Structure formats: structure tokens, C-alpha cells
Amino acid sequence: MHDIADGSVARLIEEFLTDRATRKPSPHTLAAYRRDLTIVAALTGPDGTTPLPIGRVPISTLSPQVMRRAFARFAAPRATASVHRAWSTWNSFFTFLVAEGVVPGNPMPAVGRPRAPLPRPKPLRGEDTPEELLAAVARERGRQRDPWPERDLAVLALALCAGLRLSELLALRVASVAGRDGERRVDVAGKGGRPRTVPIEAAVDRVLVDYLDSRRRRFGARSVRPDSALLVDRRGAPLRRGGLQYLVESCFRRAGIGDRVPKGARLHALRHTFATRLAEDGASAAEIMRLLGHASLASSQTYIEVTAGQQRAAVRSNRTNQALANVLSGG
């Protein structure tokens, strides 16, 4: 059992971040943890006007009342999403401290938490943009140093036609593509350890077959063993996160659609395009949830709500509706 009275918040934050680092979060995520913990900890003083040096804040002073005051001060100038993220970070921090025997309980359930807004979908902009992207990448360009259109097209097809996340694409094996003709599928290791199966149609299957054939020609038959990574770089090594992001961005540039990719979306814009088109074509929220591997129906429902809003905007812009509005207004 740790000595609660001698445990400074600063030291315990470092222990918590060390524990989190073993789970391999991104540097951005670790920086966000540190920022949320240190900023709120500095607001735990009695008046909140002078930030406290957190090296002098003992963990034993962070009662539910103190944390409520600190979060009220933290929330005042910030957006809901930022407050929700900080609450979750502190909840994880105290859960860690309870497990380590540093504190007897977690005060965060007594601290109000705003409901996190669901992120808005960010599909590619433009009705025919996905088709333009696929067509451009399928054409081998002479100015590329080492063109591999079969591989690039396979990446885009899996994201645009199966809705896979970046991490899911990287986790695919050659054997992940399975099933008989007419019943082909991709077995996906989904987020949060939730496996799922996504059906693929004949066109996607053909793209993958062409890609694997091209890989055999480049690296030999041993390169496409069932347990090999499905997606590899131009040296035959498994693609990594940065390499896959760069590949997708280069596809956007080659297709000339960079201005139609929502800021910060990158590969996720392809997944959102898949889901948005499902909604536009009448898929239910439950179907979208299963295909995308969402943890909750609410995440899937956002695609249907966005589509419904777009449909209403289109109807509103119809010239006949506008003419009727003018008649009613006496114009």
C-alpha cells in the first residue's frame, strides 16, 4: 500500500503515464493525457485564481468536492468535447490509483460529466469523387518512381467498399480474405477486440486477386503465404501506420481531389464515404453498425441523420419549392 499522504499528484501522473505507455498509445494521446491531468490538478486550489504547483498537491486532498470545483473552473471556457475527454482521463487516472492501492476510491462518479457529442461524418466531398479516385489510381502513372497501382487500388477498395479503419487494414492477413465464389468476405479484427465479417463483392475480390498476383511477381510465391500481412510496402515489408497514411494521401494527390478531402480525415474519409453511401442507399442503422463495427447504434445513426439532412436541403433548394414560398409571401 502506498503512503497516501506523501503521494504528490505530479509523481502519480508520471506513474500513470508510464502505465499507459505500455499500451502503445500515440504520442498525441499521451500528450493529451498529460495536459488534461496537469491543467485540472492546477485548478484544485481553494480560490482557483492562482494555479497550484502540482508537485505540492497531495493526492489525498482531491476529494469529490475539490474535483467538482476544479472541473467547474476547467469547463467554463472550454468546449463540451474537451471537458468530456478530460473527465475520462481523470476517471482512468483514479481507476489506476485505486488498483495500485494509492487511494481508497474514485471520486469522479460524483463529478458531473457532459455528454460527449457524436463526431460528424466526414466523407469525401463531391458526388463522383470516389469513382474519380479509383479510376485515377487504377491508371499507372509513368512519373511515379515505382508505380504499384494494383496495391494502391486494393487499399482504396478495402476502405471505400468495406469501410475498414486504418488499424484494421494494417492487421489484415492474406488469409483474412476468405469464402467461396459469390460469398467472399473479409474477416476483420475490429476496434476494442470486436471481430466482424464484411462481405465483399466480385469487383473488390478481383482487385485483391490482381494485387496478390502482382505481389507474387514482385517478391515470389512465399510473399503471399496465408499468415503474411495483406498490405505491404514496395520492399515487401508489412505496411506501417505512417506508410499507409502517406500512400492514401499520395492517391488523393494523383487523383487531384485533395480539396475534396475533409481536413484531418485522410483514410477515415474513405470509411465515412462507405458508411454515408450505405445510408443514402437505404441501409438501416443496425446494418451500418454491423458492417462498420460500431460499439453503439448511436454512432451509426449519425450517418442516416446526415443523409436525411442532405436530402431535406436538396428538396428545399428545388425551384418549385422556392416558387411556392414566393407565392405564399406575395412575391
Side-chain angles (χ1 to χ4, degrees), residues 29 34 71 94 133 139 152 184 203 206 230 237 256 261 278:
T29 298
R34 183 185 300 277
F71 262 86
F94 274 113
L133 175 62
R139 296 191 297 269
D152 299 351
R184 300 286 280 168
R206 178 182 169 186
L230 180 62
V261 181
L278 285 175

Side-chain angles (χ1 to χ4, degrees), residues 281-296:
D281 293 336
S284 68
E287 290 168 332
I288 296 172
M289 178 181 176
R290 285 192 292 270
L291 289 171
L292 269 71
H294 285 153
S296 73

Side-chain angles (χ1 to χ4, degrees), residues 7-321:
S8 77
V9 170
R11 179 177 64 80
L12 295 172
I13 286 174
E14 295 308 316
E15 290 190 16
F16 170 73
L17 293 175
T18 299
D19 174 76
R20 279 298 184 268
T22 63
R23 308 182 189 194
K24 295 293 184 180
S26 69
H28 173 79
T29 298
L30 274 178
Y33 287 157
R34 183 185 300 277
R35 184 170 59 250
D36 289 340
L37 291 168
T38 55
I39 290 175
V40 174
L43 297 174
T44 58
D47 60 7
T49 57
T50 303
L52 293 176
I54 63 172
R56 300 180 187 174
V57 178
I59 194 69
S60 58
T61 63
L62 301 188
S63 64
Q65 295 84 357
V66 168
M67 293 306 298
R68 278 199 294 268
R69 286 197 304 267
F71 262 86
R73 295 161 182 162
F74 178 82
R78 292 176 173 84
T80 298
S82 298
V83 180
H84 188 277
R85 185 196 64 230
W87 190 99
S88 296
T89 300
W90 274 88
N91 188 56
S92 297
F93 177 53
F94 274 113
T95 299
F96 165 76
L97 296 181
V98 170
E100 290 290 300
V102 176
V103 295
N106 180 358
M108 294 308 295
V111 179
R113 173 177 56 166
R115 180 177 297 177
L118 290 170
R120 301 285 288 177
K122 295 181 178 180
L124 296 173
R125 293 186 288 265
E127 183 66 26
D128 299 322
T129 299
E131 289 74 20
E132 292 178 32
L133 175 62
L134 293 170
V137 171
R139 296 191 297 269
E140 184 173 319
R141 298 293 181 91
R143 65 173 176 267
Q144 287 180 257
R145 184 170 56 187
D146 183 14
W148 195 358
E150 296 91 351
R151 191 277 312 271
D152 299 351
L153 191 60
V155 170
L156 297 182
L158 287 168
L160 275 171
C161 301
L164 271 59
R165 300 177 176 93
L166 186 148
S167 60
E168 295 169 347
L169 287 167
L170 296 176
L172 290 176
R173 307 287 103 184
V174 170
S176 299
V177 183
R180 300 175 298 182
D181 286 347
E183 298 179 0
R184 300 286 280 168
R185 68 180 189 273
V186 178
D187 296 323
V188 183
K191 187 176 181 179
R194 296 185 295 273
R196 72 181 187 281
T197 296
V198 181
I200 57 173
E201 293 299 300
V204 176
D205 190 31
R206 178 182 169 186
V207 165
L208 296 175
V209 168
D210 289 348
Y211 157 59
L212 291 175
D213 285 345
S214 73
R215 185 162 145 186
R216 287 187 189 91
R217 293 192 297 271
R218 281 176 172 246
F219 307 116
R222 289 176 60 85
S223 72
V224 292
R225 290 178 299 186
D227 61 343
S228 301
L230 180 62
L231 301 176
V232 299
D233 62 23
R234 288 185 170 89
R235 298 185 303 275
L239 265 175
R240 297 180 179 274
R241 185 180 187 90
L244 182 53
Q245 289 175 331
Y246 179 82
L247 185 158
V248 172
E249 289 174 352
S250 71
C251 290
F252 292 156
R253 288 194 300 270
R254 282 148 52 193
I257 64 161
D259 59 340
R260 287 176 262 173
V261 181
K263 185 178 180 181
R266 292 183 178 179
L267 188 141
H268 225 58
L270 307 181
R271 172 176 161 88
H272 284 187
T273 300
F274 170 73
T276 300
R277 287 194 163 186
L278 285 175
E280 290 173 347
D281 293 336
S284 68
E287 290 168 332
I288 296 172
M289 178 181 176
R290 285 192 292 270
L291 289 171
L292 269 71
H294 285 153
S296 73
L297 199 62
S299 298
S300 308
Q301 186 67 34
T302 58
Y303 293 97
I304 294 176
E305 291 171 355
V306 166
T307 300
Q310 291 170 339
Q311 291 171 343
R312 180 166 294 279
V315 170
R316 186 181 300 120
S317 65
N318 182 279
R319 285 173 294 172
T320 306
N321 272 314

